[in-house]
Amino acid sequence: MKFWIVSASAIVAAIALALSGANEYLFFAGFVVLQAVVLATGWNILGGYAGYVNFGVPGFVGVGAYTALAMHLLWSAPLLLQIIAGAVLAGLLGIGVGLLTLRLRGIFFSISTIAVVFILEAIVMNSRFLGGATGIQLTRPNEVLFFDSYTRMLFVMMAFMAVIALSIARYVQDSHIGQGLRAVRDSEEAADCSGVPTLKLKLIACAISGALLGVAGAPMPMYLSYVEPLSTFNLHYAVIALAMPIIGGTSHWLGPLIGALILGTLQQIVTVTVSSELNVLVVGVLLVVFVVAAPDGVIGLVKKWKTSSK
Amino acid sequence: MFFSFELLFEAVLFGLLLGCFYAAVSLGLSVAFGLLDVPHVAHPALLIVGSYGAYMLGGWGIDPLVSGFLLMPVFFLVGMLLYRFYYETFESRGSAAGVNGLAFFFGIAFIIEVLLVVAFGVDQRSAEADYIGESLRLGDLRLPYRLLVAAGVALVLTVVLTQFFSKTFVGRAIKAVGQDEGALRLMGADPVRIKQLAFGIATSVNALAGAMLIIVSPVEPTMDRIYIGRTFCVVVLAGMGSMSGTLVAGLVLGITESIVLTLFGASWATAVAFGLLLLMLGLRPQGLFGR
C-alpha cells in the first residue's frame, strides 16, 4: 500500500512540475534520469535477479526506438502505441536471444548479447526505410495533451513508465518467478536438481527485461526528433544499465532506482559543468569501484551500517 | 551485384592474410579466456592500447613492429598485476562468477576507452613505416605490404606460441592449470602463480598484436568494440583454449569477412564476426576443435 501511495504522489508531482512554469531544460534532463530508472530496473530483472549479464542493452533500446520510428513513418501512430509496439518487439527479441543462448554459461550469454547489438546495427545501417547510416529527421506531432511542450509530455510519460517498471520489478521479486531466479543466480545446477523450471523462468525474465529496455528506447525518436544508428546502438547504454543497479544494489528492486537517481543526476551535473567524455569516465570508475569494494551496492552498505551500529 | 571468379579469388586471398592477422590478435584472449576462463572483455581494449603505444613510439621514428616488441615487457607486467588484482578481489573470494567479474572487466574496458579519447582524441591515428601504403604487384593483383607484413608476423607469432604451449615446461604447466587446477595444487604447484604468468603472456601478446593492428588499419579509441566480436568469435570458433584451432578459426573469419565485404559492402562486414559467433554458440558451442 505504501508503495502505491508513494508512486501516485510521485506521478502527481511530475504532472504538477510539468504544468508549472519550470525551465524547459529541467524536463529535457529529467527525461534522461527517468529513462535511466527504466533501463536500470529492466536490466536488473535478468542481470540482478538471475545473474545473467546483458551487455546488449543498446540492441533492445534500438529495437524500441526503431519500432517506434517505423510505427510513426508507416501509420503515424500515436506515442503510446509506438511504445507498446517497441516493448512487444524488444520482449520478443529477449525471448529469441534467450532461446539461442540461455543454455550456455553466463559469459557466452553476455558476449552473444553484444553480438546482437552489432547485427541489429548493421541491419538498420542497410535499411533505407529506417534512414540507413545517416538517420532520419522527424517532425513531432502537435498534440501535447494539456502540457505546454512535447518535452514536458514525454517527461510525464517517462515518469509513468518508471513507476510501471518499478512495480513490475517489485512484483517479480516477491513472486515465485523472483524466488526461482534467485535460485538460478546462486546455483543453477542446484536449482535445476530441485525442480525449479530454470529455462522457463529465465525466458520470462528475458522477455520482461527486454520489453522494459525497449520501453526506455521507444520515445527516443520523438525526444530527439532525430534517429541515427551510431548513437542509438551505442554501448554507453550498456554501461549505464549495468552500472546503475550495481551501484544501487542488484538484489532488491529499490537498488536500480537508487543507482539511477544517483548516477543519472551526477551524469547530468558532470555533463553540464565539465564535459560529456568525463561523464562516461565517472560511470566507468564508479562501476569498477563498487564491483570491487561494495558488490552489494548502496543497499548493501546501508544494511552493513545498520547491523554494525546496533 | 558484380561477381566474377577473379573477384572471389582476390577476396579469398585477402581473407587469408586478414585471417592470419585475426588469429594473432585473438591469441592472447585464447589464453586468458580460453584456457584460464577469465571473462576478459577488456582484452580488446588493451589491444587498442597496444596500437596507441606503437603510435606514440612512432612519434620518435620507431618502427611499429619494433615498438610492439619494446612494449611487450610493460604489457607483461600490466597483465600480471591485472590478474593479481582480479584474483584477490574476485577469484579468491569465490565471487568471480556471474555479474561481478564481467562487470569489472567491462568497466575497465570503458575506462580505457575514455582515457584514450582524453589522451589522443576521437580521430583516427595511423602508423608510419616504409611498408605502409605500398603494394606488391602480381600481374593484376595488388597485395598491400602492410597486410603481408602483419600476416607474416602473425603466422610466426602463432607458431611460436603454439610450440611454447605444447613443448616448454611453463607452457604445459599453463595448459594444465586450465584443465585441472585442483590436480595441479595436489602436485605441489601454485596455480595462482602460473595463471598470473599466463595472463602476463596473454597481455604481452597484445603489445605486438596492437602494433600489427595499427599497421593494418588506422585505429580509434572505440575500436575495441568491434574487436570484442572478432576476438571472441575466433576463440569460440577455435574451441576454448585451442592454440592451433585459433589459426584455422582466424582464417575462417578472415575469409568470410572478406567475401562479405566484396559482395555486400563494408556496412555488413563488421556484423560478420558477431553473426558467426552467434551461429557457433547456437549450433556448436564447443567450437570447431573443442573437446
Side-chain angles (χ1 to χ4, degrees), chain B residues 227-239:
Chain B
Y227 276 87
I228 289 180
R230 289 188 177 140
T231 52
F232 274 88
C233 172
V234 170
V235 172
V236 168
L237 211 61

Side-chain angles (χ1 to χ4, degrees), chain A residues 43 47 51 53 55 100-101 104-108 110-112 114-116 118-119 122-123 125-126 234-236 238-239 242 246 277 280-281 284-285 287-288 291-292 295, chain B residues 33 37 39-41 85 89-90 93 98-100 102-104 106-108 110-111 114-115 117-118 122 225-226 228 232 236 240 267-268 271 274-275 277-278 281-282 285:
Chain A
W43 183 90
V53 180
F55 286 142
L100 188 66
T101 55
L104 300 166
R105 280 190 305 137
I107 165 111
F108 292 111
S110 306
I111 301 295
S112 321
I114 301 189
V116 170
F118 282 85
I119 292 169
I123 293 173
M125 288 258 200
N126 286 286
N234 199 316
L235 281 186
H236 283 177
V239 210
L242 174 78
I246 287 181
E277 267 141 35
V280 189
L281 189 65
V285 169
L287 170 63
V288 171
V291 165
V292 169
Chain B
F33 173 56
D37 240 357
H40 197 356
V41 281
F85 188 74
T89 36
F90 302 108
R93 292 188 211 159
V99 179
N100 289 342
L102 270 169
F104 172 70
F106 201 56
I108 297 274
F110 260 83
I111 294 174
V114 182
L115 290 180
V117 170
V118 171
V122 289
R225 301 176 185 183
I226 293 169
I228 289 180
F232 274 88
V236 168
M240 298 288 282
S267 53
W268 286 109
F274 290 100
L277 177 65
L278 269 190
L281 285 175

